[in-house]
Amino acid sequence: MPLGKIINLLKGVFQKLPAESVDSSELPETENYPSRQTTENTDLSQKNVSENTFTESTAETSQTSLPTILEEQKMINVSMLQDELQNFVSAASDVQGAALVSPDGLALASVLPGGMDEERTAAMSASMLSLGERIGRELARGSIDRIVVEGEKGYGVLVGCGADAVLLVLAGAGVKQGLLFLEVKRVVAKIAPLMA
């Protein structure tokens, strides 16, 4: 039987025995052999400690640098989203404003007319979406393509923009609905890839 297995068996037996105080004078005298096994264990434990330290420091470094990269990427996306909305509002006729909102009601980007509160508009948009989806289910109409609010001063159109956002578009009363829906479809096609 190899020496390593014998040592492991003896260690197992001694670990299972209850600890009793033993007087060193009762122990038989043994010759002093150099403890080769102890030095190997020490070397291995030092190696394990240094490997663990390297692994932990590498993990800490990757964890601290990763959110920074993601934050920078999100900042770029937010500015690009803001630019797309700005271009849409300024280029489309009779479009007065637009807001990109998370399903939770947080504004991601917006270009709204003066006097409109961004946070309140975002919260109302999320509520409209939630209510519209519930109405669609209850009336067995399937998934909702768009929600349109028509008033004497114009339209509010709410459309899904991927799984993570909803686009609210505000348009004047003189807008042609077909053209408005076409423009909304085009801007959603531009915005949706930026949300990924």
Side-chain angles (χ1 to χ4, degrees), residues 59-169:
E60 287 174 9
T61 305
S62 65
Q63 287 176 356
T64 54
S65 63
L66 185 61
T68 308
I69 294 168
L70 291 176
E71 285 173 10
E72 288 172 4
Q73 185 178 1
K74 276 192 171 183
M75 288 173 60
I76 292 169
N77 282 345
V78 168
S79 71
M80 292 171 74
L81 291 171
Q82 188 71 34
D83 290 343
E84 284 295 334
L85 286 183
Q86 184 66 49
N87 292 339
F88 169 65
V89 170
S90 59
S93 61
D94 285 328
V95 172
Q96 299 167 338
L100 195 62
V101 178
S102 74
D104 299 330
L106 300 172
L108 302 173
S110 67
V111 180
L112 295 172
M116 288 191 77
D117 184 18
E118 182 183 62
E119 292 177 0
R120 191 172 182 175
T121 303
M124 284 189 292
S125 299
S127 297
M128 281 173 46
L129 175 69
S130 175
L131 185 58
E133 287 175 345
R134 192 176 325 156
I135 290 169
R137 277 194 308 268
E138 293 294 324
L139 298 178
R141 299 298 98 188
S143 63
I144 302 297
D145 288 334
R146 73 178 72 93
I147 299 170
V148 180
V149 176
E150 183 179 354
E152 60 184 34
K153 294 184 179 178
Y155 299 92
V157 181
L158 194 66
V159 294
C161 192
D164 298 327
V166 179
L167 178 67
L168 172 68
V169 177

Side-chain angles (χ1 to χ4, degrees), residues 40-61:
E40 286 177 8
N41 286 343
T42 307
D43 290 343
L44 288 175
S45 63
Q46 286 175 351
K47 192 174 194 180
N48 287 340
V49 168
S50 64
E51 285 176 1
N52 288 343
T53 307
F54 175 75
T55 306
E56 288 171 5
S57 66
T58 306
E60 287 174 9
T61 305

